[in-house]
Amino acid sequence: MRKLILFIAMSLDGYIADQNGGVDWLRGQDDSTEENTFYDVFEKNVDTVIMGWRTYHQIVTELSPEEWVYSNKKSYVITHKRYPSAENIHFVSINPCTLARTLKQEEGKDIWICGGADIIHQFMLENLIDQYSISIIPTILGNGIPLFRPAAQEMKLRLIQVKNHHGITELIYERR
């Protein structure tokens, strides 16, 4: 069965975006233009991406307006808005957990939860995330969009790997 993986970066104080939704702080501890080796390794093992509308909109309007950065992957955008699907971008209004359960049963590589916080929270409530790959950025924002929201129950994880690069620490956990 395919794994549903949360691969995301957050500030040291637990935010995935600043209070305005901005992510221009997502870099290491200096202004080096080194590539993110964590992403390069990770993305080779996924062929499907799930994200919410706000994440999609931020990608196409701010982060990569000229080209769809996940063109080699099947992308699902969870939204209540009606948009025509494109070759590898599918706009769907179904429950994210239903979508994830269906995709996990299909053949293929792993599935990446790209964002945002609302969708991540729904997957957590249903205990659907198989692996948490969280990169800690050496920045304290003080306010913003938190990665984790209060949950009804405790969730136990097992640390399976720690990586460091350019001041960023990647923590990889699996469900226990």
Side-chain angles (χ1 to χ4, degrees):
M1 184 184 300
R2 301 164 78 183
K3 288 184 185 176
L4 184 63
I5 301 174
L6 174 61
F7 180 86
I8 199 162
M10 72 176 190
S11 64
L12 184 60
D13 54 346
Y15 298 104
I16 59 173
D18 65 26
Q19 60 188 0
N20 297 316
V23 293
D24 60 342
W25 52 272
L26 288 175
R27 58 183 153 284
Q29 60 194 12
D30 58 47
D31 291 331
S32 170
T33 58
E34 284 186 56
E35 293 295 314
N36 181 345
T37 58
F38 300 150
Y39 175 79
D40 295 339
V41 171
F42 169 77
E43 72 93 22
K44 292 175 185 170
N45 295 312
V46 298
D47 63 3
T48 305
V49 180
I50 298 175
M51 69 187 72
W53 166 256
R54 285 180 287 225
T55 301
Y56 167 79
H57 187 260
Q58 185 175 46
I59 291 169
V60 299
T61 61
E62 295 174 42
L63 304 176
S64 183
E66 301 301 319
E67 69 175 314
W68 181 239
V69 292
Y70 307 120
S71 61
N72 63 338
K73 300 180 186 334
K74 190 178 251 186
S75 300
Y76 290 90
V77 180
I78 309 292
T79 180
H80 296 294
K81 301 171 190 284
R82 299 238 184 241
Y83 288 97
S85 293
E87 184 176 332
N88 273 340
I89 305 173
H90 305 277
F91 297 93
V92 296
S93 61
I94 64 173
N95 178 296
C97 297
T98 301
L99 174 63
R101 284 185 186 97
T102 300
L103 292 174
K104 285 176 83 167
Q105 298 300 319
E106 294 177 357
E107 292 291 320
K109 295 181 179 181
D110 292 331
I111 305 159
W112 174 16
I113 307 165
C114 184
D118 292 336
I119 290 176
I120 293 166
H121 185 69
Q122 290 178 60
F123 288 145
M124 288 180 67
L125 290 175
E126 297 284 329
N127 201 24
L128 289 173
I129 301 173
D130 299 297
Q131 188 177 83
Y132 294 77
S133 180
I134 302 170
S135 293
I136 309 298
I137 307 299
T139 299
I140 296 174
L141 291 176
N143 197 354
I145 300 170
L147 173 55
F148 299 115
R149 296 183 182 168
Q153 61 187 9
E154 179 180 296
M155 183 172 296
K156 295 186 184 286
L157 303 173
R158 172 176 288 109
L159 179 65
I160 60 169
Q161 192 170 17
V162 177
K163 301 177 194 174
N164 293 294
H165 176 73
H166 194 47
I168 299 170
T169 301
E170 182 181 34
L171 305 169
I172 302 174
Y173 296 92
E174 288 183 346
R175 289 186 308 200
R176 282 196 259 168

Short mmCIF file of all heavy atoms in Angstrom, two decimals, residues 119-141:
data_model
loop_
_atom_site.label_atom_id
_atom_site.label_comp_id
_atom_site.label_asym_id
_atom_site.label_seq_id
_atom_site.Cartn_x
_atom_site.Cartn_y
_atom_site.Cartn_z
N ILE A 119 -6.18 20.75 5.61
CA ILE A 119 -6.16 19.39 5.09
C ILE A 119 -5.30 18.49 5.96
O ILE A 119 -5.68 17.35 6.27
CB ILE A 119 -5.70 19.38 3.62
CG1 ILE A 119 -6.82 20.01 2.79
CG2 ILE A 119 -5.34 17.99 3.15
CD1 ILE A 119 -6.51 20.18 1.36
N ILE A 120 -4.16 19.00 6.39
CA ILE A 120 -3.29 18.23 7.28
C ILE A 120 -4.05 17.85 8.55
O ILE A 120 -4.00 16.69 8.99
CB ILE A 120 -2.02 19.03 7.63
CG1 ILE A 120 -1.16 19.21 6.38
CG2 ILE A 120 -1.23 18.36 8.75
CD1 ILE A 120 -0.08 20.27 6.50
N HIS A 121 -4.78 18.80 9.10
CA HIS A 121 -5.54 18.54 10.33
C HIS A 121 -6.59 17.44 10.11
O HIS A 121 -6.74 16.54 10.96
CB HIS A 121 -6.20 19.83 10.81
CG HIS A 121 -6.90 19.69 12.12
ND1 HIS A 121 -6.22 19.50 13.30
CD2 HIS A 121 -8.22 19.70 12.44
CE1 HIS A 121 -7.09 19.40 14.29
NE2 HIS A 121 -8.30 19.50 13.80
N GLN A 122 -7.27 17.47 8.99
CA GLN A 122 -8.27 16.43 8.70
C GLN A 122 -7.62 15.06 8.60
O GLN A 122 -8.14 14.07 9.12
CB GLN A 122 -9.02 16.77 7.41
CG GLN A 122 -9.94 17.97 7.56
CD GLN A 122 -10.63 18.29 6.25
OE1 GLN A 122 -11.35 17.46 5.71
NE2 GLN A 122 -10.40 19.50 5.74
N PHE A 123 -6.47 14.98 7.93
CA PHE A 123 -5.76 13.70 7.83
C PHE A 123 -5.30 13.21 9.20
O PHE A 123 -5.35 12.02 9.48
CB PHE A 123 -4.55 13.82 6.90
CG PHE A 123 -4.88 13.95 5.44
CD1 PHE A 123 -4.09 14.73 4.62
CD2 PHE A 123 -5.95 13.29 4.88
CE1 PHE A 123 -4.37 14.85 3.27
CE2 PHE A 123 -6.26 13.40 3.53
CZ PHE A 123 -5.46 14.18 2.73
N MET A 124 -4.87 14.14 10.04
CA MET A 124 -4.43 13.75 11.38
C MET A 124 -5.58 13.23 12.22
O MET A 124 -5.44 12.23 12.94
CB MET A 124 -3.77 14.94 12.07
CG MET A 124 -2.40 15.28 11.51
SD MET A 124 -1.64 16.68 12.33
CE MET A 124 -1.37 15.97 13.96
N LEU A 125 -6.74 13.88 12.14
CA LEU A 125 -7.90 13.43 12.91
C LEU A 125 -8.31 12.01 12.54
O LEU A 125 -8.80 11.26 13.38
CB LEU A 125 -9.08 14.39 12.71
CG LEU A 125 -8.93 15.77 13.35
CD1 LEU A 125 -10.13 16.65 12.97
CD2 LEU A 125 -8.78 15.66 14.86
N GLU A 126 -8.10 11.63 11.27
CA GLU A 126 -8.44 10.29 10.80
C GLU A 126 -7.25 9.33 10.88
O GLU A 126 -7.34 8.20 10.42
CB GLU A 126 -8.95 10.37 9.36
CG GLU A 126 -10.22 11.16 9.19
CD GLU A 126 -11.45 10.41 9.64
OE1 GLU A 126 -11.47 9.16 9.54
OE2 GLU A 126 -12.40 11.08 10.10
N ASN A 127 -6.12 9.81 11.42
CA ASN A 127 -4.90 9.01 11.57
C ASN A 127 -4.46 8.38 10.24
O ASN A 127 -4.09 7.21 10.17
CB ASN A 127 -5.09 7.93 12.64
CG ASN A 127 -3.77 7.44 13.18
OD1 ASN A 127 -2.76 8.13 13.13
ND2 ASN A 127 -3.76 6.22 13.69
N LEU A 128 -4.49 9.18 9.17
CA LEU A 128 -4.15 8.69 7.84
C LEU A 128 -2.70 8.94 7.43
O LEU A 128 -2.22 8.35 6.47
CB LEU A 128 -5.07 9.33 6.79
CG LEU A 128 -6.52 8.85 6.82
CD1 LEU A 128 -7.37 9.68 5.87
CD2 LEU A 128 -6.60 7.37 6.46
N ILE A 129 -2.02 9.81 8.13
CA ILE A 129 -0.64 10.14 7.76
C ILE A 129 0.29 9.02 8.23
O ILE A 129 0.35 8.72 9.42
CB ILE A 129 -0.21 11.50 8.34
CG1 ILE A 129 -1.15 12.60 7.84
CG2 ILE A 129 1.24 11.81 7.96
CD1 ILE A 129 -0.93 13.96 8.47
N ASP A 130 0.98 8.42 7.28
CA ASP A 130 1.89 7.32 7.59
C ASP A 130 3.26 7.82 8.02
O ASP A 130 3.93 7.17 8.82
CB ASP A 130 2.05 6.40 6.37
CG ASP A 130 0.74 5.78 5.96
OD1 ASP A 130 0.17 5.01 6.76
OD2 ASP A 130 0.27 6.07 4.83
N GLN A 131 3.68 8.93 7.46
CA GLN A 131 5.01 9.45 7.78
C GLN A 131 4.96 10.98 7.83
O GLN A 131 4.32 11.62 6.99
CB GLN A 131 6.00 9.00 6.71
CG GLN A 131 7.45 9.34 7.04
CD GLN A 131 8.37 8.79 5.97
OE1 GLN A 131 8.57 9.40 4.93
NE2 GLN A 131 8.92 7.61 6.23
N TYR A 132 5.64 11.53 8.83
CA TYR A 132 5.77 12.98 9.00
C TYR A 132 7.22 13.34 8.73
O TYR A 132 8.11 12.93 9.47
CB TYR A 132 5.42 13.38 10.43
CG TYR A 132 3.98 13.17 10.82
CD1 TYR A 132 3.50 11.90 11.13
CD2 TYR A 132 3.10 14.24 10.88
CE1 TYR A 132 2.18 11.69 11.49
CE2 TYR A 132 1.77 14.05 11.25
CZ TYR A 132 1.33 12.77 11.54
OH TYR A 132 0.01 12.58 11.90
N SER A 133 7.46 14.09 7.69
CA SER A 133 8.80 14.57 7.37
C SER A 133 8.76 16.09 7.52
O SER A 133 8.24 16.79 6.65
CB SER A 133 9.19 14.17 5.95
OG SER A 133 10.48 14.64 5.65
N ILE A 134 9.29 16.57 8.63
CA ILE A 134 9.16 17.98 8.98
C ILE A 134 10.54 18.62 9.03
O ILE A 134 11.39 18.22 9.82
CB ILE A 134 8.43 18.14 10.32
CG1 ILE A 134 7.05 17.48 10.24
CG2 ILE A 134 8.33 19.62 10.71
CD1 ILE A 134 6.33 17.37 11.56
N SER A 135 10.74 19.61 8.19
CA SER A 135 12.00 20.35 8.18
C SER A 135 11.83 21.59 9.05
O SER A 135 10.93 22.40 8.83
CB SER A 135 12.37 20.77 6.75
OG SER A 135 12.67 19.64 5.98
N ILE A 136 12.71 21.73 10.03
CA ILE A 136 12.67 22.87 10.94
C ILE A 136 13.60 23.95 10.39
O ILE A 136 14.80 23.76 10.28
CB ILE A 136 13.13 22.47 12.36
CG1 ILE A 136 12.39 21.23 12.86
CG2 ILE A 136 12.99 23.65 13.32
CD1 ILE A 136 10.90 21.37 12.99
N ILE A 137 13.00 25.08 10.05
CA ILE A 137 13.75 26.21 9.51
C ILE A 137 14.26 27.06 10.67
O ILE A 137 13.51 27.34 11.61
CB ILE A 137 12.84 27.07 8.59
CG1 ILE A 137 12.17 26.20 7.51
CG2 ILE A 137 13.62 28.23 7.97
CD1 ILE A 137 13.10 25.48 6.57
N PRO A 138 15.52 27.50 10.64
CA PRO A 138 16.07 28.26 11.76
C PRO A 138 15.55 29.71 11.80
O PRO A 138 16.29 30.67 11.62
CB PRO A 138 17.58 28.20 11.52
CG PRO A 138 17.71 28.05 10.04
CD PRO A 138 16.53 27.24 9.61
N THR A 139 14.24 29.82 11.99
CA THR A 139 13.56 31.11 12.07
C THR A 139 12.46 31.01 13.10
O THR A 139 11.73 30.01 13.13
CB THR A 139 12.94 31.49 10.70
OG1 THR A 139 13.98 31.58 9.73
CG2 THR A 139 12.18 32.79 10.76
N ILE A 140 12.31 32.03 13.92
CA ILE A 140 11.18 32.13 14.85
C ILE A 140 10.27 33.23 14.32
O ILE A 140 10.69 34.39 14.24
CB ILE A 140 11.65 32.41 16.28
CG1 ILE A 140 12.49 31.24 16.79
CG2 ILE A 140 10.45 32.69 17.20
CD1 ILE A 140 13.14 31.48 18.14
N LEU A 141 9.07 32.87 13.91
CA LEU A 141 8.14 33.85 13.34
C LEU A 141 7.35 34.61 14.40
O LEU A 141 7.00 35.75 14.20
CB LEU A 141 7.16 33.16 12.38
CG LEU A 141 7.75 32.63 11.08
CD1 LEU A 141 6.69 31.90 10.28
CD2 LEU A 141 8.37 33.75 10.27
#
